[in-house]
Amino acid sequence: MLTVHEARKHFGGVAALDGAQLTLRTGEIHGLVGENGAGKSTLLKTLAGVHRLDSGEITFDEAPFDASSPRRAREAGVAVIYQEPSLFPDLSLAENVFVGRQPRRRGRVDWAGMRRRAEALFAELGVYLDPERRAAGLSIADQQLVEIAKALSLDAKVIVMDEPTAALSASEAERLLEVARRLRDRGAAVVFVSHRLEEVFALCDRVTVMRDGRTVAEAAIAGTTPAEVVRWMVGRELTDLFPKVPSEAGEVLLEVRGMRRAGVFEDISFTVARGEIVALAGLVGSGRSEVVRAVFGIDRYESGTVLIGGSPLPQGDPRAALARGVALVPEDRRQQGLFMVASVARNSAVVVLDRLRRFGLVSGRAERGMARDWADRLRLRYSGLEAPVERLSGGNQQKVVLAKWLATEPELLVVDEPTRGIDVATKAEVHRLLSERAARGLAVLMISSELPEVLGMADRVLVMREGRLVAELTRAEATQERIMLAATGQAVPT
Amino acid sequence: MSRLLTWDKILPVLLVLTLVVGTSLDPRFGRGNNLAFVVADIGEIMLIAFAMTLVIMTGEIDLSVASIAALTSCVLGWLVRHGVPIGLAVVLGVAAGVLCGAVNGFLITALGLPSLAVTIGTLALFRGLCWALLGDEPVASYPESWTRLGSGRFPHTYIPYVAPVLIAGAIVFTVLLHFTRSGRWIVAIGQSAEAATFAGIPVARVKTSLFLLSGFMSALAGVVYTLRFASSRPDGAVGYELLVIAAVLFGGVSIFGGAGTMWGVVSAVLFLGALRSLLLLEKVPPNALNIITGGLLLVSVIVPAAVTALQRRRKPTRNKESSCDPDSSARSPQRLPSSSR
Amino acid sequence: MTTTREFPVGLALVVVLVGTTLANNRFLSAQGRVDLMVAVAITALMAVGQTFVIVMKHVDLSVGSTLGLSAYFAAIAVRGTEGGGVFTVLLVGLVVGVAVGVLNGALVAVLRLPALVVTLGTLYVIKGIQAVLIGPRRISVDQLPDAVVDFGRSTVLGVPYLMWMCLLAGLAGGWFLRTQRAGRDLYAIGSNTPAARLVGIPVWRREILAFVVSGATAGLAGALYLARFGGVDANAGSGYELPVVAACVVGGVAITGGVGTVLGALLGAALLKTIGVSLSALSVPEFWQQAVNGALLLLAIAVDKVINDRRTRQVTVLQEVRV
Amino acid sequence: ADDSGGGGGGTTPGANGGQIKSGLKIAVVPKAVNNPYFDAAFTGAKKACGEIGATCEQLGPTEASGSAQAQFINTVVQQQYDALVISAADANSVVPALKQAKAAGITVVTYDADVADDSARSAMVRPTTSDLVGKSLDKWISDAIGPQGGEIAILSAAATAENQNAWIAVMKQDLANYPQLKLVDTVYGDDDAAKSAEKASALLQSHPNLKGIIAPTTVGIAATAQYLSGSQYKGKVALTGLGLPSQMKAYVKDGTVKTFGLWDPAMLGYLGVYAAANVASKIDIKGGFEAGGKKYTLEDKGLVTVGPPQEFTAQNVDSFTF
Ligand SMILES: Nc1ncnc2c1ncn2[C@@H]1O[C@H](COP(=O)(O)OP(=O)(O)OP(=O)(O)O)[C@@H](O)[C@H]1O
Ligand SMILES: Nc1ncnc2c1ncn2[C@@H]1O[C@H](COP(=O)(O)OP(=O)(O)OP(=O)(O)O)[C@@H](O)[C@H]1O
Ligand SMILES: [Mg+2]
Ligand SMILES: [Mg+2]
């Protein structure tokens, strides 16, 4: 039904697409996988009319497909859910869904009708959001769900989802997969990008694998295995995804006592010891990020204390936290983790300027040296240290964020969804990095919505539900369903 | 646009060209006497522009600078009229200016109000205080020994007394913006205040101190203005705010913050001053000067845009992306900032 | 949701009106009402157009100069002619305004230049052109047709023509922004421009539209200015830009884009002008009026912010406690 | 200055035997260009220059302010004019600049508005004495209101405008002779039409019993007249002041204004140039100088007075060109 042939696309020096192929059939869910920077998003954006191909052709129902603008693409029946959700903070959720196509009665926008239709869509998705609410302040997950409602409302022939589940917790992801199946059964073709192979195998009928902008393989799911797909992606055998290095928990470094912020979290008490990786699990919206934000000093809290090495950490002062060896890799790399227009060097240097100063003046050379050093350590794919990070692919951006914080040589590293949108290979590296450092005495507090990751990495698992700590499980005790039970509110069998 | 040829690098060239061409066109323009006047005449603008550059770099703006300068001048005058020794009066006047900056800073960072709105308000408030203070009685009882500092020159030279102040300012502010931690912080905040917070940059503190600094530099300008014109009047320096902002933007500073250079601004201010003097010498009618000022401001943004456009033409699709590619637009939020922040 | 945003401004306006009237019964006398409405009309009219621009996270600083220039062209269009003229004056004003709007819009939308810089530039350019054209030759009332001059002072149902013009523009603008897709597009763009492009909103066309509307209202305002003051000189309209922006801000049109209504802008303009006039009516000492005015302006901005914050917090909490 | 300006040919008899050099370069700097009043003054200056074979230019800022004028004074210095005839936008700001001009050998004469420090200029051509202006304004308003008298107010230009303030001072003293008149308020329209009109309407609100307004500024009186003539106060509230006949015709005819006054601005420019030319030609004018066949004497502080203000009424208003 839709085919992409020999697609080529260059950004300055970088060849984002270099002979990509894609063939979509009616009524199928088509997986698109590949490492960070393989060119998945770029390929999808050409379908969406965001990018124009340098060469190559796209046909839609045997006719050449004109994707010269997002509007054209949409009118042709292609709906896209982008990797980075993009809503309108000041508009109501209902209007966010229908923006540009608001339902009309007698030539005027039909507000009541719009609200009703939005409610219907949300119900279909099982989203509990008030259509009248402004989008400002929505969590990433909530934003993602609104984006999906938007795509649904178009009832398009081709629906493209670029890592829609990256920000979703297991249960929400499951709900999404349901929706995808329903769309397929309606006869739509769904393109599904994900770094979680288990999802791809659970959902997709066929899969296309990309590497370095090329399509390296296309197979029916039935006829292949995750191992094989990974080999195609990486071009080599991949070693253990969770290279957990056993490490001895040292003395307690972080202690949180009865921390509370009305409406967001209640009496949170826990500890993290040197050399220990503690995972903070829970459904999206359970307030995990809010907790670590409060610990690091981004948000204030009403009561409770945070102790580092036994002595209290002042509230709402990230600098103090940094000085005490605390680092936070935030959940949202584009808004919180990076200065998108700034260079790789600037980004990775900004938190360690003090160390880069000579006679009180910041030395650009030291800055670049440090950045290059980290770029190599994390196998970063970049065109140059002076290139703005907005040019990097999602995964590579995440690497820069990590580099930036590891450069502070922290004693306590707090990571919020550290591998969101990161490919298997890089994931493995991040995991190795974390556990190696833990082994060398680093205390790690990790928020993750990926249970395999939690189980693979954590020495202890804390589970949050609706702003409360509801369970603490040792590595031995922790299992998928125990965590899910706790997170969803059933009693925990101990 | 290309790394090599950016607007802030074009400006110094423009400045030199103006001086050379201007002098060859009309020797009177190149005379030390005239250049000395030009330098003295852009003094206040330059002083305020130093701080304004930093403020705009963080993505904020300060429209109250002219009113602060005037208020400083009026406080100074009022005190002198009431028998306070002038030296002390100057100090207190400057203090008043800094206080004004504190008011701006408080309203903007503590209450989280948009700086454009706030400083439109304080622009009126501070100017109003000038009238309340001096009303219809300007002060001119300044001792020659002081006013000479404003309008005079170093003996046996053309160098006006303000010149060293301006040069020192240029050096200090260039270093501050481009070679210190604070400078990096200012740029970072302008690129993304939220990311800056997560990087442990004390955003509120930096912004507050910048508005204080802006108040201080405006106050300084107010003192220079007072001495140069040997008088304090409630309607002094009216409309300077737009002149300064125009100069800073003409200097290649991005109104959205996060991009710009101090040398760009310095050469912009000098260039505008020199050009104006040249045009006046060449008997260009004063009414036409506004047209030229505005035209130049437009040029300063059109030229870079045009250059980029030309580079695009070579790679046909570039601007479509940077325009509507969600991943490549720094301004498309992921977690949407709730407007309460 | 938006309706509550205008409420505090409206309330403040009522308070000022009532308070001042109690203190000085002439304030809302027949003549007092007319004077007040005439004073409000011109700024308010420009605020209507400015709303379109600010909602898109842009700003139009060239409105003052535009007013002056269009007032001049309107004047020479009818100079010397006897009778009629009102229609011509309005039309000419409108045309000049639209022309300026197209220029601004083209620079901002097509070349993607920052609006503040562009309109600051056109502010100076147009101001200069106006000065060059008029020079010292002030056009005075005896050169204008009586019809035009009367238009500036006569009333219908106790409301001056000028105010009617302003209200009509307000209604049209409000209707467009609230009920038309194109109007809603402006909010989307102001709220998140890249996202607006992604959903296929023709951003540059909307931007031009907004600047044309702003220019048009400024042009009309020029015609009204001519009628009201029975003349125009080289400085007419200079310094009008900031009060207009202030009016929008006070009326809850956020300069951060995406929020605000025409009604709010109208109320904001009315409030600011009314405060200004009432200060005299309350015989606040001449030399203190501007200071008080500025202080009240700040107060208005702060209050609006506080109220708006409280509202958003409520919304957020609501959705946080969801299951 | 280089006396080469005086090079060549014909000369005009100065006052005390001395000769006015021909070919002098004279600059006229008004408070602001784009102002009809100063435009009229410049026509007079050109006339004088024609008579003495001098060349003269008008150059000045677009907004009236001393700091803006300083730039033009510098230009005059650089362009090496022989003489500078200036109306100070404010009495103090331009003093330093004028002293530098003087030091550069340029003759400085002020017209219309003087500077605070009379050592900064050689002579000042003033329209008339502040005394005359103040007294006539009081007389006109009391005639307009009539014997029953009542409250009056002043609508001036900028609060910092020197000559307006001087006149207002005189008015206040002289009001002692008009017990039936009570000055209740003074407001400032900053020579801006819009602001002046709003101030006028505000005056009438805050002073219900106001019987008359004095607007000693050409912009102010025109704006006030425009407001009154369209309001219920037309004919009830008297208006007088200083205005240009060309702008006030309509209001005198429709009865909004009975009497107002001014002097011929052209004379200011005319005499300004003559005074400057004499000094620039090294002619001592202490004893006075001759212009257009008429002899003018210098009072103390180098003041030259044109004469009493001209009164305008419905009868004569059409017969004036400015
Ligand atoms: N706008 C752009 N300008 C320049 N280079 C770009 C741009 N967008 C993408 N690239 C480059 O093109 C390549 C492919 O990027 P793309 O985002 O398609 O990868 P991806 O497969 O989506 O990776 P991820 O899984 O991390 O999202 C990367 O090397 C990236 O750096
Ligand atoms: N910027 C914000 N403004 C207002 N409310 C927010 C904001 N961010 C998150 N919330 C709300 O706070 C709660 C916790 O948010 P969040 O999604 O970060 O929880 P989480 O457990 O950290 O989920 P995640 O898996 O995304 O980290 C949710 O109800 C969310 O809607
Ligand atoms: Mg991608
Ligand atoms: Mg979170």
Side-chain angles (χ1 to χ4, degrees):
Chain A
M1 142 189 228
L2 183 143
T3 65
V4 180
H5 184 66
E6 281 300 312
R8 287 193 162 60
K9 173 75 186 167
H10 287 257
F11 294 110
V14 195
L17 293 181
D18 183 14
Q21 315 274 4
L22 182 66
T23 313
L24 290 185
R25 306 195 186 128
T26 324
E28 77 167 352
I29 302 183
H30 195 109
L32 181 61
V33 298
E35 294 193 280
N36 296 123
K40 305 180 293 296
S41 298
T42 309
L43 178 60
L44 300 185
K45 281 181 201 155
T46 58
L47 294 183
V50 175
H51 294 333
R52 286 222 202 81
L53 286 177
D54 300 350
S55 71
E57 68 195 27
I58 311 177
T59 61
F60 192 13
D61 293 333
E62 279 68 47
F65 174 57
D66 165 23
S68 54
S69 81
R71 168 159 259 151
R72 287 276 176 70
R74 201 175 64 188
E75 281 156 1
V78 177
V80 186
I81 298 164
Y82 293 97
Q83 187 169 0
E84 315 289 2
S86 41
L87 297 183
F88 303 93
D90 304 301
L91 302 189
S92 72
L93 297 187
E95 197 166 8
N96 262 287
V97 172
F98 290 102
V99 66
R101 325 168 273 115
Q102 294 92 340
R104 287 188 291 197
R105 271 169 73 246
R106 290 193 239 85
R108 313 165 86 254
V109 171
D110 171 13
W111 293 96
M114 190 163 79
R115 185 207 160 91
R116 257 181 274 106
R117 288 175 57 181
E119 256 165 352
L121 284 166
F122 287 167
E124 183 175 1
L125 284 169
V127 183
Y128 307 96
L129 288 172
D130 170 11
E132 299 281 299
R133 177 197 194 280
R134 283 165 78 233
L138 271 191
S139 70
I140 302 172
D142 295 339
Q143 293 178 50
Q144 196 64 265
L145 293 168
V146 176
E147 286 281 354
I148 292 163
K150 197 196 271 180
L152 272 183
S153 71
L154 286 159
D155 54 55
K157 294 209 216 62
V158 176
I159 293 156
V160 174
M161 302 181 172
D162 194 351
E163 302 190 30
T165 54
L168 301 193
S169 66
S171 60
E172 278 162 321
E174 188 42 51
R175 205 187 297 133
L176 175 75
L177 303 195
E178 261 323 303
V179 178
R181 294 197 184 90
R182 227 178 301 141
L183 291 170
R184 168 186 58 192
D185 303 341
R186 282 196 208 153
V190 180
V191 182
F192 183 86
V193 180
S194 173
H195 289 294
R196 299 182 189 168
L197 288 182
E198 68 275 14
E199 275 174 7
V200 174
F201 275 76
L203 179 69
C204 300
D205 307 306
R206 293 188 309 133
V207 60
T208 292
V209 183
M210 295 185 64
R211 184 168 78 229
D212 305 335
R214 262 182 232 83
T215 298
V216 291
E218 205 244 49
I221 285 293
T224 180
T225 64
E228 190 180 24
V229 170
V230 170
R231 213 176 308 118
W232 283 328
M233 284 168 58
V234 189
R236 60 186 158 84
E237 284 295 343
L238 188 70
T239 49
D240 178 12
L241 180 54
F242 301 112
K244 173 79 181 153
V245 182
S247 66
E248 267 322 301
E251 88 276 14
V252 170
L253 180 63
L254 167 70
E255 179 172 8
V256 178
R257 286 204 202 122
M259 193 168 63
R260 171 178 185 283
R261 181 169 158 220
V264 185
F265 50 75
E266 287 289 331
D267 66 74
I268 303 291
S269 305
F270 66 92
T271 66
V272 181
R274 295 183 186 279
E276 183 184 39
I277 298 183
V278 176
L280 195 51
L283 302 184
V284 168
S286 53
R288 297 163 297 169
S289 298
E290 276 58 25
V291 168
V292 294
R293 285 165 58 116
V295 169
F296 187 62
I298 301 293
D299 302 338
R300 303 188 71 82
Y301 44 90
E302 281 122 27
S303 60
T305 46
V306 175
L307 304 163
I308 297 291
S311 57
L313 184 66
Q315 249 213 63
D317 181 357
R319 288 196 67 63
L322 273 165
R324 301 280 291 278
V326 184
L328 168 64
V329 174
E331 158 184 45
D332 173 347
R333 61 172 170 263
R334 314 189 75 255
Q335 289 293 105
Q336 307 168 336
L338 293 170
F339 303 94
M340 298 304 282
V341 293
S343 69
V344 176
R346 281 289 180 106
N347 266 285
S348 33
V350 70
V351 277
V352 290
L353 286 171
D354 301 357
R355 276 201 275 112
L356 298 173
R357 284 194 291 183
R358 307 267 178 284
F359 323 111
L361 298 189
V362 176
S363 138
R365 256 162 81 260
E367 183 180 71
R368 280 185 297 279
M370 191 221 63
R372 195 176 298 104
D373 175 26
W374 278 102
D376 299 344
R377 272 198 242 175
L378 297 185
R379 308 223 338 272
L380 185 70
R381 282 159 120 267
Y382 63 100
S383 41
L385 287 171
E386 293 309 318
V389 290
E390 69 188 358
R391 297 252 182 279
L392 300 181
S393 78
N396 283 307
Q397 288 173 356
Q398 188 69 5
K399 288 188 194 172
V400 177
V401 184
L402 278 169
K404 169 170 140 187
W405 288 107
L406 290 174
T408 66
E409 279 150 19
E411 296 185 7
L412 170 65
L413 180 63
V414 184
V415 288
D416 193 347
E417 308 286 2
T419 59
R420 171 178 294 167
I422 290 191
D423 66 58
V424 271
T426 322
K427 239 181 220 171
E429 288 171 47
V430 172
H431 292 154
R432 184 166 38 73
L433 231 120
L434 289 179
S435 45
E436 275 172 12
R437 305 220 145 213
R440 280 194 258 118
L442 177 71
V444 178
L445 176 60
M446 176 180 81
I447 294 180
S448 172
S449 301
E450 284 185 56
L451 289 181
E453 186 171 68
V454 171
L455 295 171
M457 299 296 298
D459 299 299
R460 268 190 305 138
V461 181
L462 305 171
V463 186
M464 277 190 73
R465 177 165 59 83
E466 287 166 33
R468 297 175 168 281
L469 274 176
V470 290
E472 168 163 359
L473 306 165
T474 64
R475 185 173 177 79
E477 297 166 339
T479 64
Q480 293 251 5
E481 74 281 359
R482 272 189 162 180
I483 295 175
M484 281 320 293
L485 286 175
T488 51
Q490 287 92 336
V492 191
T494 36
Chain B
M1 60 195 298
S2 82
R3 279 241 167 295
L4 320 161
L5 191 75
T6 54
W7 180 252
D8 61 295
K9 298 201 184 76
I10 297 177
L11 275 167
V13 183
L14 271 182
L15 174 58
V16 175
L17 274 181
T18 322
L19 294 178
V20 173
V21 175
T23 315
S24 53
L25 257 175
D26 180 344
R28 297 172 303 187
F29 171 73
R31 287 230 195 88
N33 215 325
N34 186 49
L35 296 183
F37 175 82
V38 171
V39 172
D41 200 41
I42 50 105
E44 297 89 358
I45 300 287
M46 180 77 90
L47 287 172
I48 303 177
F50 286 145
M52 182 69 81
T53 305
L54 302 187
V55 171
I56 294 182
M57 286 287 276
T58 62
E60 303 288 343
I61 196 161
D62 185 351
L63 289 170
S64 68
V65 284
S67 300
I68 295 181
L71 186 53
T72 304
S73 168
C74 290
V75 170
L76 168 53
W78 187 87
L79 290 171
V80 169
R81 169 175 294 157
H82 290 72
V84 177
I86 182 161
L88 178 59
V90 167
V91 174
L92 293 176
V94 172
V98 176
L99 190 66
C100 294
V103 172
N104 285 332
F106 171 79
L107 290 171
I108 290 160
T109 53
L111 299 194
L113 299 171
S115 52
L116 182 69
V118 166
T119 53
I120 287 181
T122 48
L123 175 150
L125 174 60
F126 299 153
R127 179 67 64 181
L129 291 177
C130 294
W131 286 109
L133 211 54
L134 290 191
D136 56 3
E137 295 149 350
V139 181
S141 52
Y142 292 112
E144 177 73 23
S145 55
W146 281 77
T147 54
R148 208 183 324 105
L149 294 177
S151 45
R153 301 169 185 180
F154 285 101
H156 320 303
T157 70
Y158 285 125
I159 305 166
Y161 287 113
V162 285
V165 182
L166 297 183
I167 294 169
I171 295 170
V172 170
F173 276 84
T174 308
V175 171
L176 175 64
L177 177 56
H178 296 290
F179 302 105
T180 68
R181 189 184 64 181
S182 318
R184 293 295 169 91
W185 281 358
I186 289 168
V187 177
I189 291 173
Q191 288 168 339
S192 163
E194 188 175 5
T197 319
F198 274 84
I201 298 173
V203 176
R205 210 174 73 211
V206 172
K207 283 187 177 176
T208 315
S209 28
L210 284 186
F211 278 98
L212 283 173
L213 185 60
S214 174
F216 174 74
M217 295 308 287
S218 309
L220 224 53
V223 174
V224 173
Y225 185 91
T226 311
L227 299 181
R228 189 152 76 96
F229 298 113
S231 63
S232 300
R233 35 195 306 110
D235 53 3
V238 161
Y240 274 35
E241 61 275 351
L242 290 191
L243 292 180
V244 172
I245 291 170
V248 171
L249 297 177
F250 181 71
V253 176
S254 159
I255 188 66
F256 302 118
T261 63
M262 196 52 81
W263 57 80
V265 172
V266 171
S267 14
V269 176
L270 288 169
F271 168 76
L272 291 174
L275 186 69
R276 187 178 174 82
S277 140
L278 179 61
L279 294 174
L280 287 176
L281 277 173
E282 298 315 304
K283 304 215 169 102
V284 174
N287 282 332
L289 289 179
N290 274 331
I291 304 183
I292 294 169
T293 318
L296 282 173
L297 191 55
L298 291 176
V299 169
S300 74
V301 280
I302 292 174
V303 164
V307 174
T308 346
L310 286 178
Q311 291 169 337
R312 261 187 234 127
R313 192 141 301 122
R314 273 179 245 115
K315 316 187 203 62
T317 54
R318 260 299 262 295
N319 81 319
K320 278 194 105 282
E321 288 129 23
S322 51
S323 66
C324 57
D325 172 352
D327 289 4
S328 81
S329 159
R331 284 181 215 301
S332 83
Q334 188 175 67
R335 162 157 291 166
L336 306 175
S338 108
S339 59
S340 58
R341 302 232 199 93
Chain C
M1 177 191 89
T2 41
T3 51
T4 46
R5 224 187 142 85
E6 289 73 22
F7 180 71
V9 193
L11 191 66
L13 181 56
V14 174
V15 171
V16 175
L17 287 172
V18 174
T20 316
T21 318
L22 292 183
N24 174 350
N25 58 356
R26 264 197 170 200
F27 184 61
L28 285 190
S29 67
Q31 185 65 46
R33 281 201 307 277
V34 173
D35 291 353
L36 184 58
M37 284 190 276
V38 169
V40 168
I42 291 180
T43 332
L45 177 56
M46 288 197 276
V48 171
Q50 189 73 237
T51 307
F52 278 61
V53 178
I54 295 184
V55 152
M56 296 184 81
K57 214 192 311 171
H58 290 315
V59 63
D60 184 352
L61 293 179
S62 68
V63 286
S65 311
T66 311
L67 178 146
L69 190 67
S70 45
Y72 171 71
F73 279 112
I76 55 172
V78 294
R79 181 168 50 186
T81 64
E82 262 321 311
V86 175
F87 179 74
T88 327
V89 166
L90 294 177
L91 185 68
V92 174
L94 194 64
V95 171
V96 175
V98 169
V100 176
V102 171
L103 175 67
N104 285 331
L107 289 172
V108 172
V110 180
L111 289 181
R112 297 255 172 77
L113 305 176
L116 192 144
V117 187
V118 167
T119 55
L120 187 55
T122 45
L123 178 155
Y124 282 118
V125 173
I126 298 167
K127 193 188 173 98
I129 298 177
Q130 176 192 357
V132 169
L133 289 177
I134 303 182
R137 297 170 298 285
R138 181 180 205 286
I139 293 183
S140 57
V141 65
D142 53 327
Q143 299 167 278
L144 297 176
D146 303 346
V148 174
V149 182
D150 295 335
F151 179 76
R153 23 174 90 141
S154 332
T155 63
V156 182
L157 314 172
V159 177
Y161 281 112
L162 271 53
M163 194 38 129
W164 283 119
M165 299 287 303
C166 167
L167 291 176
L168 284 181
L171 276 177
W175 172 84
F176 180 82
L177 285 184
R178 172 74 184 160
T179 71
Q180 292 306 293
R181 277 183 188 168
R184 301 311 301 170
D185 288 353
L186 300 196
Y187 287 89
I189 295 167
S191 194
N192 182 351
T193 314
R197 293 210 169 84
L198 284 175
V199 296
I201 292 175
V203 173
W204 69 276
R205 262 188 261 141
R206 298 290 178 261
E207 282 176 332
I208 290 183
L209 172 81
F211 279 97
V212 166
V213 173
S214 173
T217 52
L220 275 181
L224 302 194
Y225 181 100
L226 180 68
R228 178 182 172 200
F229 299 113
V232 50
D233 58 27
N235 296 338
S238 68
Y240 273 41
E241 50 280 344
L242 292 188
V244 170
V245 176
C248 294
V249 172
V250 169
V253 186
I255 43 185
T256 45
V259 216
T261 64
V262 167
L263 174 63
L266 286 174
L267 289 174
L271 180 60
L272 290 188
K273 261 292 180 217
T274 311
I275 290 175
V277 175
S278 66
L279 289 181
S280 310
L282 295 173
S283 9
V284 173
E286 173 80 3
F287 290 130
W288 278 95
Q289 289 186 8
Q290 199 185 352
V292 178
N293 214 334
L296 289 177
L297 172 55
L298 285 170
L299 186 70
I301 299 169
V303 167
D304 171 68
K305 162 82 171 171
V306 170
I307 291 176
N308 187 35
D309 281 5
R310 182 158 305 128
R311 188 165 46 248
T312 350
R313 207 169 299 120
Q314 282 161 353
V315 183
T316 318
V317 171
L318 267 182
Q319 73 92 40
E320 275 176 2
V321 297
R322 84 189 197 279
V323 279
Chain D
D2 54 340
D3 291 5
S4 64
T11 53
T12 329
N16 341 355
Q19 298 291 301
I20 292 184
K21 297 192 183 124
S22 70
L24 290 171
K25 279 176 65 194
I26 300 177
V28 180
V29 178
K31 283 184 183 177
V33 292
N34 308 333
N35 181 326
Y37 174 84
F38 287 107
D39 200 48
F42 185 54
T43 53
K46 277 186 294 199
K47 179 154 168 286
C49 290
E51 292 171 5
I52 61 173
T55 59
C56 67
E57 302 259 358
Q58 163 156 280
L59 59 169
T62 48
E63 267 103 24
S65 94
S67 41
Q69 277 183 314
Q71 285 183 344
F72 291 86
I73 298 172
N74 171 64
T75 313
V76 170
V77 174
Q78 300 310 325
Q79 289 174 335
Q80 294 158 332
Y81 280 87
D82 302 298
L84 164 60
V85 182
I86 181 174
S87 165
D90 83 72
N92 306 307
S93 309
V94 289
V95 171
L98 287 183
K99 284 184 171 166
Q100 282 174 0
K102 214 167 170 198
I106 298 177
T107 304
V108 177
V109 168
T110 54
Y111 75 106
D112 174 63
D114 200 3
V115 287
D117 175 351
D118 52 15
S119 71
R121 44 74 174 168
S122 316
M124 153 65 177
V125 178
R126 60 176 172 178
T128 166
T129 64
S130 304
D131 205 49
L132 276 175
V133 178
K135 291 198 166 123
S136 333
L137 286 170
D138 283 350
K139 178 173 174 306
W140 291 333
I141 198 65
S142 86
D143 294 352
I145 296 177
Q148 79 284 7
E151 297 183 349
I152 61 168
I154 298 172
L155 190 152
S156 180
T160 47
E162 311 303 329
N163 22 12
Q164 266 84 4
N165 287 347
W167 301 329
I168 292 174
V170 176
M171 276 189 249
K172 286 183 175 160
Q173 293 168 6
D174 180 59
L175 275 177
N177 313 330
Y178 302 90
Q180 78 279 22
L181 294 182
K182 178 158 173 297
L183 178 63
V184 290
D185 205 345
T186 306
V187 298
Y188 303 90
D190 296 339
D191 273 353
D192 172 87
K195 190 163 182 211
S196 304
E198 272 156 28
K199 285 294 180 184
S201 99
L203 268 181
L204 290 158
Q205 275 192 357
S206 34
H207 305 289
N209 312 325
L210 201 65
K211 284 282 174 298
I213 299 177
I214 307 174
T217 148
T218 56
V219 180
I221 192 174
T224 313
Q226 168 66 13
Y227 167 72
L228 286 179
S229 65
S231 76
Q232 66 178 52
Y233 307 112
K234 177 177 180 178
K236 301 199 189 69
V237 176
L239 170 65
T240 187
L242 305 173
L244 290 163
S246 57
Q247 287 177 16
M248 297 300 292
K249 282 198 202 82
Y251 309 114
V252 175
K253 298 217 175 98
D254 74 6
T256 313
V257 177
K258 248 215 228 75
T259 317
F260 69 101
L262 197 66
W263 39 86
D264 179 354
M267 277 312 287
L268 293 172
Y270 186 77
L271 292 184
V273 167
Y274 263 101
N278 276 285
V279 180
S281 315
K282 307 275 181 299
I283 302 168
D284 178 13
I285 58 169
K286 290 267 176 314
F289 62 94
E290 203 167 295
K294 195 160 170 292
K295 185 146 172 40
Y296 293 85
T297 56
L298 256 70
E299 301 136 48
D300 60 345
K301 303 224 204 67
L303 293 173
V304 183
T305 311
V306 173
Q310 167 71 48
E311 215 172 288
F312 306 112
T313 60
Q315 286 70 36
N316 67 352
V317 73
D318 284 317
S319 55
F320 294 90
T321 53
F322 53 94

